[in-house]
């Protein structure tokens, strides 16, 4: 068996990149078919194939690292750069929606009644459920840090408890936010207030779901002994992502929920 | 309340039956042996028959979907016949 003279990981040929691209094509054209031809068939095929590809691709990465040992310190460094750059790109993504919010709210037009919130909009009370949601996410930041310390100190039971608590807090946030969406007196169609509110908080909610799922996968891997006290980058990546989601919420809460009410 | 607490603590520490105990044991070394076997299989198929089934289903769905997409886009770009 030939051995490599470098510390990088030359991956086995894999079908997931091209199938993932095809899945994205199905999802995008599926949206078109849903909007214009009133049929969700292609969209559903797209979403299912996207999930299948994601599951198998990430499963393979776990195999390559935990079971085959390919994640040398050099490889891990690359993964750290990658995750940091990805989170940075997501920060820019949210920056756009914050720009849109401040564009409309700092100088409200006559059509809105020259005020913010616009005439006729009853904003949500920032001291009600939104404040609870802030507390939930801040607490989850503490519990995920507790989990990290437990992992590095090889306290298996504590790590599992702390990470489980983090995941539950994430689901609790999502449930409360879903209820808020249902009960809100305004909708996405209510002018620029509705648009900025639901697009910004909606994308944030999607990221909470993604982050909670990532943490849940880490919890399952933790239970299955995949992490060691010195090598657990999957968990660290999830924790970084989760802190990012928390910070975005804090900005949302301060600007849209509080200042904007 | 203290007795209730004690009872709760005992229940959470109760021994798990042998059937489910295997689920909670460390199987990392078994998996390391399986995925490091020198059988020439790429990592996405190295887990066995389940891998092939899942791969075929994913590829099948994606290829059929892509053909459907091309058909749909071709049809959508055709002008509609006026009545």
């Amino acid at each position: 068996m030939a051995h490599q003279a470098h510390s990088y990981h030359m991956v086995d040929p894999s079908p997931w990149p091209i199938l993932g691209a095809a899945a994205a094509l199905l999802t995008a054209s599926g949206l078109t078919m849903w909007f214009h031809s009133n049929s969700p068939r292609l969209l559903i095929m797209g979403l299912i194939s996207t999930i299948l590809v994601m599951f198998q691709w990430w499963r393979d990465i776990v195999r390559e690292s935990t079971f085959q040992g390919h994640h040398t310190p050099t490889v891990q460094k690359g993964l750290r750069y990658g995750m940091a750059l990805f989170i940075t790109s997501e920060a820019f993504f949210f920056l756009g929606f914050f720009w849109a919010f401040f564009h409309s709210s700092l100088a409200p037009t006559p059509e809105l009644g020259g005020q913010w919130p616009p005439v006729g909009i009853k904003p949500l009370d920032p001291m009600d459920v939104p404040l609870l949601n802030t507390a939930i996410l801040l607490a989850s930041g503490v519990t995920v840090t507790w989990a990290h310390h437990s992992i590095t100190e090889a306290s298996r039971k504590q790590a599992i408890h702390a990470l489980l608590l983090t995941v539950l807090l994430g689901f609790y946030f999502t449930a409360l936010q879903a209820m808020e969406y249902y009960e809100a007196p305004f909708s996405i169609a209510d002018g620029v207030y509705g648009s900025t509110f639901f697009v910004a908080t909606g994308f944030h909610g999607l990221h909470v779901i993604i982050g909670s799922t990532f943490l849940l996968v880490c919890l399952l891997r933790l239970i299955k002994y995949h992490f060691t006290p010195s090598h657990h980058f999957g968990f660290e990546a999830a924790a970084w992502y989760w802190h990012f989601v928390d910070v975005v919420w804090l900005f949302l809460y301060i600007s849209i929920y509080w200042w904007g009410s | 309340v203290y007795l209730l607490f004690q009872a709760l603590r005992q229940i959470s520490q109760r021994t798990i039956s042998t059937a489910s105990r295997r689920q909670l044991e460390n199987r990392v070394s078994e998996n390391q042996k399986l995925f490091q076997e020198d059988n020439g299989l790429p990592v996405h198929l190295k887990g066995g028959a389940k891998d092939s089934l899942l791969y075929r289903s994913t590829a099948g769905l994606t290829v059929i979907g892509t053909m459907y997409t091309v058909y749909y886009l071709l049809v959508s770009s055709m002008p509609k016949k006026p009545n």
Side-chain angles (χ1 to χ4, degrees):
Chain A
M1 195 162 56
H3 290 104
Q4 60 189 51
H6 59 82
S7 53
Y8 296 94
H9 180 201
M10 302 301 289
V11 296
D12 292 341
S14 169
W16 309 130
I18 188 102
L19 291 184
L25 170 68
L26 297 196
T27 310
S29 50
L31 277 173
T32 310
M33 190 190 256
W34 185 39
F35 294 159
H36 294 281
S37 310
N38 202 35
S39 162
R41 190 183 300 142
L42 245 190
L43 178 59
I44 290 169
M45 286 171 79
L47 290 172
I48 291 176
S49 49
T50 305
I51 289 173
L52 282 171
V53 168
M54 288 201 265
F55 170 76
Q56 289 170 96
W57 196 336
W58 278 315
R59 173 206 69 190
D60 287 354
I61 295 174
V62 170
R63 289 177 176 179
E64 288 161 1
S65 56
T66 308
F67 303 146
Q68 295 182 334
H70 285 296
H71 285 197
T72 63
T74 311
V75 171
Q76 213 196 110
K77 195 156 176 243
L79 292 171
R80 285 176 189 273
Y81 275 127
M83 193 66 196
L85 287 166
F86 174 64
I87 291 176
T88 306
S89 76
E90 295 250 79
F92 280 108
F93 179 71
F94 277 99
L95 199 67
F97 297 120
F98 276 102
W99 184 345
F101 168 72
F102 283 115
H103 174 95
S104 301
S105 59
L106 282 168
T109 61
E111 288 87 348
L112 304 174
Q115 66 179 50
W116 193 274
V119 172
I121 295 283
K122 264 189 0 265
L124 300 172
D125 180 2
M127 298 302 156
D128 198 346
V129 174
L131 185 60
L132 173 60
N133 272 342
T134 305
I136 288 169
L137 284 186
L138 287 173
S140 70
V142 169
T143 54
V144 79
T145 306
W146 173 23
H148 193 189
H149 282 262
S150 304
I151 290 173
T152 51
E153 289 157 18
S155 310
R156 176 180 162 82
K157 208 157 70 137
Q158 275 205 44
I160 291 174
H161 287 166
L163 188 49
L164 177 63
L165 202 45
T166 310
V167 171
L168 290 175
L169 286 169
F171 287 151
Y172 188 28
F173 176 96
T174 302
L176 283 171
Q177 195 66 328
M179 190 208 70
E180 283 283 273
Y181 267 33
Y182 185 70
E183 301 280 336
F186 53 87
S187 81
I188 197 172
D190 284 322
V192 76
Y193 184 90
S195 299
T196 49
F197 180 89
F198 283 107
V199 169
T201 62
F203 271 118
H204 173 261
L206 177 64
H207 285 70
V208 170
I209 292 169
I210 292 169
S212 304
T213 308
F214 194 174
L215 287 166
L216 181 61
V217 168
C218 285
L219 176 60
L220 294 171
R221 291 187 68 201
L222 176 61
I223 291 171
K224 287 168 182 266
Y225 299 90
H226 286 197
F227 299 135
T228 75
S230 54
H231 190 171
H232 45 263
F233 177 66
F235 171 81
E236 287 182 71
W240 291 356
Y241 195 78
W242 193 249
H243 287 307
F244 161 70
V245 160
D246 189 3
V247 168
V248 170
W249 171 259
L250 293 175
F251 278 104
L252 279 175
Y253 180 71
I254 305 255
S255 29
I256 297 185
Y257 282 90
W258 197 352
W259 175 83
S261 69
Chain B
V1 172
Y2 181 70
L3 285 174
L4 194 68
F5 214 63
Q6 287 286 72
L8 193 65
R9 199 160 153 258
Q10 280 176 25
I11 291 168
S12 64
Q13 286 175 345
R14 190 183 56 184
T15 24
I16 299 164
S17 76
T18 27
S20 44
R21 181 168 292 168
R22 263 214 89 214
Q23 303 282 80
L24 299 171
E25 269 171 13
N26 189 340
R27 296 162 84 180
V28 171
S29 40
E30 288 170 39
N31 278 316
Q32 283 170 338
K33 191 157 163 274
L34 172 66
F35 289 104
Q36 290 179 42
E37 210 184 303
D38 193 6
N39 52 23
L41 286 175
V43 72
H44 68 280
L45 296 170
K46 218 168 167 86
K50 268 200 348 233
D51 284 2
S52 310
L53 180 62
L54 202 51
Y55 164 65
R56 278 179 223 253
S57 315
T58 309
L61 177 64
T62 315
V63 165
I64 292 174
T66 303
M67 296 194 303
Y68 187 22
T69 299
V70 172
Y71 161 75
Y72 171 69
L73 289 173
L74 280 171
V75 165
S76 306
S77 32
M78 295 298 171
K80 287 194 176 48
K81 276 203 292 270
N83 277 335

